[in-house]
């Protein structure tokens, strides 16, 4: 592949341009010394290097992304009449053959002679193109850097230009993230709209029965499917609630202990150990939930005379709670540590004990951050899939009983999309509708959280 | 005037460290931070209804000594105090003494105003609530009002008691902290450079307040500002690198210091 070689070449040339630019700036400064320059010589160097490197980089990127498509279409155009390709499918099939041959793992003997010819053409064109690219790049780099190099003068505002380019680059990076978000939302939205054309939106939002199995062929025996999202969301809420019931007190209390009571040595050992919990893959938590916790709950429940299903919301919720303890702990610990020591001193100075100080001064001051940490943990709980798949089951029961099997939104999305699926049946499209609804719910949660946090801030600072 | 002046190397305390009616008595106090000794063998009395100023260059141990007087040094991990500190005849470092009532008796005001992020009312009510000083809401209202009045803040804040204490100006915040300390009816108030973060006008208000508070409380104030020590205190103690060098009536110390180190410091040759 030629691209890495070109990148190295661009780097070397830019370095050279940097050196030349900086040297010319120093020389232009002349007798007046460096203070007669608008910017320090490094900035002139940097600007020359950027002028040298950036356009060249752009050309390489264009080549990297479009060369293959361009070459293929050129070659195919030449042989298309002789191959008698009619439908788009046939054309793309031929293109695939061509690509295989070019890559060298086509069976050459059995190949169509026209295609073979095309493959040879392709390789020849590509070799020419790469050589040409190399020459073009060299010329381009020389031209752009020479253009700038000539214009270097003490009055040139090199520092401001460099800052401008860096700023533009940073803006580009941040818009990339924004557009990705936008893309995800839109793709989910469009598929959901297709779903809502097949299933009325009120049925989806308020229906109490979730049973997405549909007859694939007309003569098949099977249900027509029902897509009421309520039981699925109820399951999500139930499991998240159980998880937060575990994680919020345990996480917050351990954070308070670590931040306020624990000695340095204990803290140095305990905090990394607790944070290891965050590093355990969720699948492993899933084993733990399905093989250890769920059977234990079941045998305990039957011992008490309760009917417990072997997969229960309780098992999944408990294990998920353990999983998110480190999130609550880590954030709470940080915000508690951020409360100024002066406030604690003030409280101790009035004769308050440690626990009074924590309860009445430290926690209220740290509350916005703690609430933020809790909400982050809730989002984790809502989005968690693996533990629920393994420990809570797939049946969509509408129940508040934590001893029964329930299912969650994420689990349903997984089961709807796993395996061979046709992408125009309501069954598959339902996954996108669920995703959209989940997105909206989480977003609403975050907005509420932001509002709460801001309100407390205003009150306290 | 003592005929024999100590030489510069002599670190024994000169002047009048003892008092006839002491409220607090400190004898041979040594303070260590780990291996490092911060105070060497300091002995001093703090009299009834007096303002004692502690002056000295940075790092000389005056704040450390102040924090010993209500055991605020307990919160620092490797800090160790030896010697004897008595409050009304009771050794405050005795095993049987509980720091909670001690700190109510010996209140503290810090260098930077540190009101709690609560309302003005709750800032004052915090201490009385902890110590159970008010049985009813109206008693608490009364404590809040009298404390704020004593701190000279009542007229300025009486209409906005539910507003956050952090919204006040720096000088008001510091007076709020003084009112907060007064609210638990202490006998001694320790002030650790209470005006160093305030502008001159707020400083003047706080100094006036200290003068008024002297009638009811014993006050120990650490300050970098010698004019302030001269304005507010009756006695002054000079610390130098962990040694208590000289104690005496403020008027005498600033006009006629005995120890050459004290003289160097107050004439501005050092520190």
């Amino acid at each position: 592949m030629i691209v890495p070689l070109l990148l190295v070449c661009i780097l070397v040339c830019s370095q050279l341009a940097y050196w030349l630019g900086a040297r010319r700036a120093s020389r232009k400064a002349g007798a007046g010394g460096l203070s007669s320059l608008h910017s320090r010589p490094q900035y002139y160097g940097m600007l020359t290097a950027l002028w040298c490197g950036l356009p060249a980089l752009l050309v390489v990127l264009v080549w990297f992304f479009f060369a293959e498509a361009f070459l293929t279409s050129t070659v195919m155009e030449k042989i298309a009449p002789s191959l008698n390709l009619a439908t788009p499918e046939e054309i793309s099939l031929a293109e695939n053959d061509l690509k295989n041959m070019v890559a060298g793992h086509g069976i050459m003997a059995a190949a169509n002679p026209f295609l073979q010819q095309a493959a040879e053409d392709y390789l020849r064109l590509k070799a020419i193109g790469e050589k040409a690219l190399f020459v073009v790049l060299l010329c381009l780099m020389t031209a752009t850097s020479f253009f700038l190099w000539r214009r270097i003068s003490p009055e040139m505002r090199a520092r401001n230009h460099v800052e401008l380019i860096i700023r533009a680059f940073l803006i580009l990076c941040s818009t990339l993230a924004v557009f990705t978000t936008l893309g995800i939302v839109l793709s989910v939205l469009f598929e959901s709209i297709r779903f809502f054309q097949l299933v009325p939106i009120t049925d989806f939002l308020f229906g109490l029965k979730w049973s997405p199995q549909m007859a694939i062929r007309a003569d098949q025996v099977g249900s027509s499917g029902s897509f009421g999202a309520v039981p699925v969301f109820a399951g999500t809420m139930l499991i998240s609630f159980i998880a937060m019931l575990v994680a919020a007190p345990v996480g917050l209390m351990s954070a308070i202990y670590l931040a306020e009571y624990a000695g340095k040595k204990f803290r140095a050992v305990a905090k990394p150990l607790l944070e290891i919990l965050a590093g355990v893959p969720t699948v492993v938590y899933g084993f733990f939930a399905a093989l250890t916790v769920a059977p234990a709950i079941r045998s305990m429940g039957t011992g008490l005379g309760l009917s417990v299903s072997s997969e229960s919301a309780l098992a999944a919720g408990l294990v998920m709670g353990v999983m998110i303890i480190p999130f609550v702990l880590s954030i709470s610990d940080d915000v508690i540590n951020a409360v100024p020591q002066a406030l604690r001193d003030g409280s101790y100075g009035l004769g308050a004990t440690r626990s009074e100080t924590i309860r009445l001064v430290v926690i209220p001051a740290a509350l916005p951050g703690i609430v933020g940490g809790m909400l982050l943990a809730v989002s984790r709980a809502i989005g968690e899939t693996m533990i629920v798949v393994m420990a809570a089951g797939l049946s969509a029961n509408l129940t508040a009983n934590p001893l029964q099997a329930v299912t969650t939104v994420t689990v349903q999305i997984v089961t709807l999309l796993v395996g061979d699926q046709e992408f125009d049946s309501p069954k598959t499209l339902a996954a996108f509708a669920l995703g959209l609804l989940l997105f909206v719910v989480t977003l609403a949660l975050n907005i509420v959280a932001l509002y709460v946090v801001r309100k407390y801030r205003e009150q306290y600072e | 005037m003592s005929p024999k002046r100590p030489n510069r190397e002599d670190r024994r305390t000169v002047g009048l460290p003892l008092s006839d009616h002491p409220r607090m008595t400190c004898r041979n106090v040594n303070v260590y931070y780990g291996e490092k000794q911060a105070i060497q063998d300091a002995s001093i009395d703090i009299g009834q209804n007096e303002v004692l100023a502690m002056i000295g260059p940075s790092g000389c141990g005056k704040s450390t000594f102040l924090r010993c007087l209500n055991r605020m040094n307990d919160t620092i991990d490797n800090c160790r105090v030896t010697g004897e500190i008595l409050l009304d005849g009771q050794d405050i470092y005795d095993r049987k003494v509980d720091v909670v009532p001690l700190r109510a008796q010996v209140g503290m005001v810090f260098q930077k105003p540190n009101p709690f992020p609560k309302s003005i009312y709750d800032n004052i009510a915090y201490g009385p609530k902890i110590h159970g000083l008010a049985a009813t809401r109206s008693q608490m209202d009364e404590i809040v009002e009298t404390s704020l009045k004593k701190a000279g803040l009542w007229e300025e804040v009486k209409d906005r008691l539910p507003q956050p204490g952090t919204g006040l100006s720096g000088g008001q915040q510091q007076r709020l902290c003084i009112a907060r300390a007064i609210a638990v009816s202490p006998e001694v108030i320790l002030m650790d450079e209470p005006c160093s973060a305030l502008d001159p006008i707020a400083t003047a208000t706080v100094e006036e307040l200290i003068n008024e508070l002297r009638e009811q409380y014993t006050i120990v104030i650490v300050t970098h500002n010698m004019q302030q020590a001269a304005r507010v205190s009756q006695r002054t103690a000079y610390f130098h690198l962990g040694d208590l060098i000289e104690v005496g009536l403020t008027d005498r110390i600033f006009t006629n210091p005995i120890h050459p180190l004290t003289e160097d410091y107050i004439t501005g040759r050092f520190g």
Side-chain angles (χ1 to χ4, degrees):
Chain A
M1 197 61 203
I2 195 175
V3 170
L5 187 71
L6 290 176
L7 290 180
V8 171
C9 176
I10 291 174
L11 268 180
V12 171
C13 291
S14 300
Q15 185 61 46
L16 195 70
Y18 174 88
W19 183 68
L20 286 172
R23 211 178 61 147
R24 181 169 167 95
S26 305
R27 198 165 291 170
K28 280 269 178 179
L34 288 185
S35 59
S36 67
L37 291 173
H38 172 269
S39 314
R40 285 183 303 144
Q42 289 94 310
Y43 279 103
Y44 293 93
M46 250 186 266
L47 191 61
T48 327
L50 284 170
W51 269 76
C52 170
L54 281 184
L57 209 61
L58 209 66
V59 171
V60 171
L61 279 182
V62 168
W63 169 264
F64 182 73
F65 285 112
F66 298 109
E68 196 179 294
F70 173 73
L71 287 176
T72 313
S73 74
T74 321
V75 178
M76 287 304 287
E77 219 164 87
K78 227 197 265 174
I79 57 165
S82 23
L83 282 176
N84 289 325
L85 300 173
T87 60
E89 284 82 10
E90 277 176 339
I91 294 178
S92 77
L93 201 65
E95 274 176 9
N96 265 333
D97 281 348
L98 178 67
K99 274 178 200 161
N100 280 336
M101 267 187 227
V102 168
H105 38 68
I107 305 142
M108 290 300 187
N112 183 319
F114 290 111
L115 270 179
Q116 212 159 359
Q117 180 60 41
E120 276 161 27
D121 273 358
Y122 182 99
L123 286 174
R124 194 169 45 81
L125 278 178
K126 191 176 171 197
I128 294 172
E130 282 176 351
K131 272 176 207 139
L133 181 68
F134 191 69
V135 175
V136 166
L137 275 184
L138 279 182
C139 294
L140 183 71
M141 286 193 283
T142 316
T144 50
S145 24
F146 183 70
F147 173 73
L148 196 95
W149 185 79
R150 278 294 302 272
R151 289 184 34 177
I152 286 177
S153 66
E155 292 81 40
M156 189 184 190
R157 295 154 63 85
R159 179 170 17 92
N160 306 38
H161 289 304
V162 171
E163 289 296 322
L164 199 74
I165 292 173
I166 288 174
R167 196 174 140 190
F169 176 72
L170 294 179
I171 289 174
L172 198 74
C173 288
S174 54
T175 35
L176 206 67
V178 171
F179 277 110
T180 315
T181 317
L182 209 65
I184 291 172
V185 173
L186 286 182
S187 76
V188 172
L189 187 68
F190 286 135
E191 298 299 322
S192 305
I193 289 172
R194 281 177 65 195
F195 173 74
F196 290 130
Q197 281 163 354
L198 298 168
V199 175
I201 188 163
T202 47
D203 285 8
F204 177 72
L205 287 181
F206 305 112
L208 297 181
K209 191 162 179 295
W210 176 264
S211 153
Q213 293 311 319
M214 302 221 15
I216 293 172
R217 295 188 310 275
D219 58 341
Q220 218 173 12
V221 185
S223 65
S224 58
S226 56
F227 297 95
V230 172
V232 188
F233 271 87
T236 303
M237 293 304 154
L238 180 63
I239 290 185
S240 306
F241 180 72
I242 296 171
M244 287 313 290
L245 229 49
V246 176
V250 176
L252 184 58
M253 298 301 151
S254 19
I256 291 173
Y257 177 72
L258 280 184
E260 298 285 332
Y261 288 90
K264 260 190 204 129
K265 278 182 202 155
F266 180 78
R267 196 183 145 82
V269 177
K271 206 173 178 200
L273 271 181
L274 282 163
E275 278 168 355
I276 286 178
L277 275 181
V280 177
T282 55
V283 176
V284 177
Y285 280 110
F287 299 151
F288 178 59
L291 300 180
T292 312
V293 178
I297 288 174
R298 189 176 145 81
S299 61
M300 220 186 302
T302 38
L304 293 169
L306 298 166
S307 82
V308 184
S309 60
S310 59
E311 294 175 319
S312 65
L314 189 61
L318 287 180
V319 175
M320 200 192 280
V322 173
M323 182 196 86
I324 53 183
I325 285 173
F327 289 87
V328 179
L329 174 89
S330 189
I331 294 175
S332 306
D333 184 58
D334 286 348
V335 290
I336 289 173
N337 273 326
V339 172
Q341 183 62 32
L343 287 184
R344 293 190 188 96
D345 282 348
S347 176
Y348 292 142
L350 288 167
T353 62
R354 224 172 220 189
S355 71
E356 282 166 341
T357 303
I358 292 166
R359 196 157 40 85
L360 300 172
V361 174
V362 177
I363 297 296
L367 200 64
I370 292 173
V371 171
M374 295 287 175
L375 281 157
L376 197 72
V378 172
S379 323
R380 269 300 297 235
I382 289 178
E384 176 48 40
T385 317
M386 223 52 226
I387 294 174
V388 191
V389 173
M390 295 168 87
L394 298 171
S395 54
N397 293 323
L398 182 54
T399 174
N401 179 0
L403 301 177
Q404 281 190 355
V406 294
T407 190
T408 67
V409 179
T410 49
V411 169
Q412 284 308 312
I413 292 175
V414 170
T415 46
L416 290 173
L417 291 182
V418 164
D420 292 334
Q421 304 287 354
E422 42 180 346
F423 259 78
D424 50 359
S425 87
K427 187 187 162 194
T428 9
L429 292 174
F432 292 96
L434 281 180
L436 183 70
L437 194 54
L438 192 63
F439 178 76
V440 171
V441 168
T442 327
L443 192 71
L445 206 68
N446 282 348
I447 290 171
V448 170
L450 271 181
Y451 176 75
V452 170
V453 168
R454 197 169 300 153
K455 208 178 156 197
Y456 269 109
R457 283 248 163 88
E458 278 168 5
Q459 196 178 332
Y460 276 138
E461 273 163 27
Chain B
M1 180 71 204
S2 157
K4 208 173 72 184
R5 280 187 66 168
N7 68 34
R8 221 168 277 266
E9 308 310 317
D10 200 343
R11 297 296 168 87
R12 267 169 305 176
T13 310
V14 295
L16 286 169
L18 306 184
S19 139
D20 294 336
H21 304 287
R23 174 129 254 177
M24 296 193 85
T25 318
C26 310
R27 291 290 177 272
N28 309 102
V29 176
N30 289 283
V31 184
Y32 305 86
Y33 289 118
E35 294 295 301
K36 196 178 152 277
Q37 187 164 12
I39 302 275
Q40 287 119 6
D41 220 20
S43 295
I44 187 172
D45 282 345
I46 301 158
Q48 196 89 273
N49 295 23
E50 74 165 353
V51 177
L52 172 70
M54 300 210 265
I55 58 171
S58 300
C60 68
K62 51 195 191 310
S63 288
T64 300
F65 189 75
L66 190 77
R67 289 168 69 94
C68 289
L69 299 179
N70 71 344
R71 292 183 56 178
M72 276 302 277
N73 282 336
D74 287 12
T75 56
I76 297 168
D77 275 344
N78 54 0
C79 178
R80 199 156 54 80
V81 180
T82 64
E84 209 176 30
I85 301 178
L86 308 178
L87 172 65
D88 299 328
Q90 165 75 50
D91 186 354
I92 63 170
Y93 279 89
D94 194 282
R95 261 176 211 288
K96 280 175 285 179
V97 168
D98 187 3
V99 293
V100 168
L102 169 70
R103 289 189 188 145
Q105 280 174 297
V106 185
M108 190 151 192
V109 175
F110 297 85
Q111 188 168 359
K112 234 183 108 212
N114 58 348
F116 300 129
K118 299 175 184 293
S119 71
I120 294 172
Y121 185 95
D122 288 338
N123 261 285
I124 309 293
Y126 183 82
K129 219 179 265 172
I130 285 172
H131 298 288
L133 299 183
T136 61
R137 176 85 191 178
S138 62
Q139 276 179 0
M140 184 62 89
D141 288 348
E142 205 184 306
I143 292 178
V144 170
E145 185 177 337
T146 43
S147 308
L148 283 171
K149 273 182 178 158
K150 280 185 192 166
L153 197 59
W154 176 250
E155 288 305 317
E156 290 161 63
V157 301
K158 64 180 177 192
D159 298 324
R160 44 176 179 148
L161 293 178
Q163 285 175 26
T166 41
L168 297 172
S169 74
Q172 287 174 325
Q173 284 189 14
Q174 195 61 298
R175 279 182 285 149
L176 181 68
C177 292
I178 294 173
R180 188 172 73 182
I182 291 172
V184 292
S185 17
E187 296 162 24
V188 182
I189 302 176
L190 311 175
M191 298 186 174
D192 189 356
E193 298 181 38
C195 300
S196 64
L198 305 184
D199 66 54
I201 294 170
T203 302
T205 325
V206 171
E207 284 177 7
E208 253 169 62
L209 174 60
I210 292 171
N211 266 326
E212 286 164 22
L213 292 175
R214 179 165 65 92
E215 289 162 21
Q216 279 176 288
Y217 307 97
T218 299
I219 294 171
V220 184
I221 179 171
V222 165
T223 177
H224 264 127
N225 181 332
M226 281 177 278
Q227 285 83 359
Q228 182 172 60
R231 282 193 298 263
V232 301
S233 71
Q234 281 74 55
R235 283 203 306 155
T236 297
Y238 173 68
F239 281 83
H240 183 92
L241 299 176
D243 292 300
L244 179 55
I245 298 292
E246 182 167 356
V247 187
L249 294 175
T250 302
D251 293 339
R252 206 267 301 150
I253 286 242
F254 283 104
T255 52
N256 202 356
I258 299 171
H259 202 288
L261 284 171
T262 318
E263 190 178 355
D264 287 354
Y265 183 68
I266 61 173
T267 53
R269 243 178 287 167
F270 167 73

